Amino acid sequence: MARITAGVGSSHVPLIGRAIDTGNTQDEYWKPLFDGYEFTKKWEEQEKPDVVILVYNDHASAFDLKMIPTFAIGTGERFKPADEGFGPRPVPDVIGAPDLAWHIAQSVIQQDFDLTIVNEMDVDHGLTVPLSLMFGQPEEWPCKVIPLAVNVVVYPVPNGKRCYNLGKAIRNAVESFDEDLNVQIWGTGGMSHQLQGPRAGLINKEWDLSFLNRLADKPEELTEIPHVEYIREAGSEGIELVMWLIMRGALTDKVKELHKHYHVPASNTAVGHIVLESQFD
Ligand code: DHB
Ligand code: FE
């Protein structure tokens, strides 16, 4: 049986990708941020996941106002890095896991969550920056990746509780897949940031730390946060944090927190990072 053994939460700021691609990770500005990912890079080398279900949001790269799926699963064999205006990032193509992705689609849709099935799409910084943070700069990514895109850009967006429950449905789906696979789930985006309007540049450290500190042991409390609180307290892009609740919902009820990191700022964003391990008895 396949199992979701661990979850990773991480911001996905595009400038982090740029710092990696241009070899600037040890600069005075960037070093403290990247130091916070050293634990995870070493841990991933030991864990060797077969598949990562990577929950992210597309930023008008694959989807735009023509089509706005709330939840979309990538069932394709391969996904290319998107051109977000400066050419595609110099990172490997993402290799999908179509058999498991179709199984998750089947199971999750039967558990009453509507997923849009996407066979072809390019993947933007929301997906590729976390891969670079956790795996560095390999020739090929060390595992298969199932993209799970969530609309947190155009209203209406899904609330945290629905995202958490989707995570639980994904766990059921993975555990009913016949192959022995070590599966991880990553939730990306956040923490507090606002890219536009009079409040651009907003950071709310206290609110972010309260979210980060409750994710392991009190996730149900976080599922009660209404979307207006994300916007008010964490800025218009802080709503990306609902994707971390999909990750948390997919893990066991009790988890072990292996690592946590918080850093301000990276570009316009407060960066949060957490590693949680499922506990099977
Ligand atoms: C920034 C952060 C994001 O999450 C994003 O998707 C785009 C930009 C930023 O801080 O610049
Ligand atoms: Fe984003």
Side-chain angles (χ1 to χ4, degrees):
M1 141 182 139
R3 288 216 289 203
I4 301 184
T5 56
V8 173
S10 176
S11 306
H12 63 212
V13 181
L15 209 56
I16 294 177
R18 181 83 187 146
I20 294 169
D21 299 342
T22 54
N24 290 321
T25 60
Q26 296 308 298
D27 285 8
E28 198 184 328
Y29 180 85
W30 288 112
K31 190 174 182 314
L33 174 120
F34 287 103
D35 282 352
Y37 284 84
E38 280 303 310
F39 166 87
T40 315
K41 279 169 81 174
K42 293 202 187 84
W43 171 79
E44 287 289 11
E45 275 170 26
Q46 291 161 10
E47 289 297 302
K48 295 193 185 11
D50 298 301
V51 183
V52 168
I53 300 168
L54 209 157
V55 185
Y56 75 111
N57 65 292
D58 177 79
H59 304 73
S61 304
F63 308 120
D64 55 24
L65 290 174
K66 277 192 268 181
M67 199 176 359
I68 308 165
T70 303
F71 300 115
I73 188 163
T75 42
E77 299 271 359
R78 176 181 286 264
F79 307 91
K80 290 197 171 301
D83 182 348
E84 300 182 60
F86 298 94
R89 288 191 61 215
V91 292
D93 286 0
V94 168
I95 305 302
D99 288 353
L100 178 57
W102 277 101
H103 173 82
I104 293 172
Q106 146 79 25
S107 169
V108 166
I109 289 170
Q110 290 300 320
Q111 293 175 74
D112 302 336
F113 284 91
D114 300 324
L115 299 186
T116 301
I117 294 166
V118 184
N119 286 312
E120 256 185 60
M121 66 174 167
D122 292 347
V123 287
D124 73 10
H125 69 269
L127 184 138
T128 64
V129 166
L131 283 176
S132 299
L133 276 167
M134 264 40 94
F135 295 140
Q137 294 176 290
E139 288 276 301
E140 304 291 339
W141 297 122
C143 64
K144 295 179 173 172
V145 176
I146 297 176
L148 186 77
V150 180
N151 169 42
V152 289
V153 173
V154 183
Y155 277 79
V157 298
N159 67 32
K161 184 165 278 175
R162 183 160 171 77
C163 286
Y164 186 68
N165 288 332
L166 171 59
K168 288 183 179 292
I170 291 171
R171 178 180 171 192
N172 290 336
V174 169
E175 289 184 351
S176 62
F177 191 65
D178 249 0
E179 226 177 296
D180 275 336
L181 292 176
N182 176 4
V183 180
Q184 290 187 0
I185 185 162
W186 298 1
T188 78
M191 300 196 92
S192 56
H193 62 305
Q194 170 142 348
L195 302 177
Q196 66 245 301
R199 297 206 309 160
L202 175 142
I203 301 278
N204 187 343
K205 181 174 179 181
E206 201 182 329
W207 192 92
D208 285 341
L209 291 178
S210 163
F211 188 97
L212 205 52
N213 291 337
R214 285 186 287 169
L215 193 61
D217 297 334
K218 295 178 184 156
E220 271 89 7
E221 280 183 26
L222 300 179
T223 68
E224 299 298 330
I225 299 174
H227 85 267
V228 291
E229 181 178 328
Y230 286 96
I231 308 305
R232 188 179 63 237
E233 300 297 330
S236 51
E237 278 67 46
I239 188 69
E240 290 181 341
L241 281 169
V242 293
M243 295 184 288
W244 293 40
L245 293 177
I246 298 179
M247 175 273 278
R248 181 63 188 90
L251 305 179
T252 50
D253 291 350
K254 282 210 166 50
V255 292
K256 187 169 172 195
E257 187 179 291
L258 300 183
H259 179 63
K260 197 159 56 183
H261 174 58
Y262 183 77
H263 176 78
V264 177
S267 189
N268 305 288
T269 300
V271 166
H273 173 42
I274 198 163
V275 181
L276 302 173
E277 186 181 66
S278 283
Q279 301 295 297
F280 303 99
D281 350 273

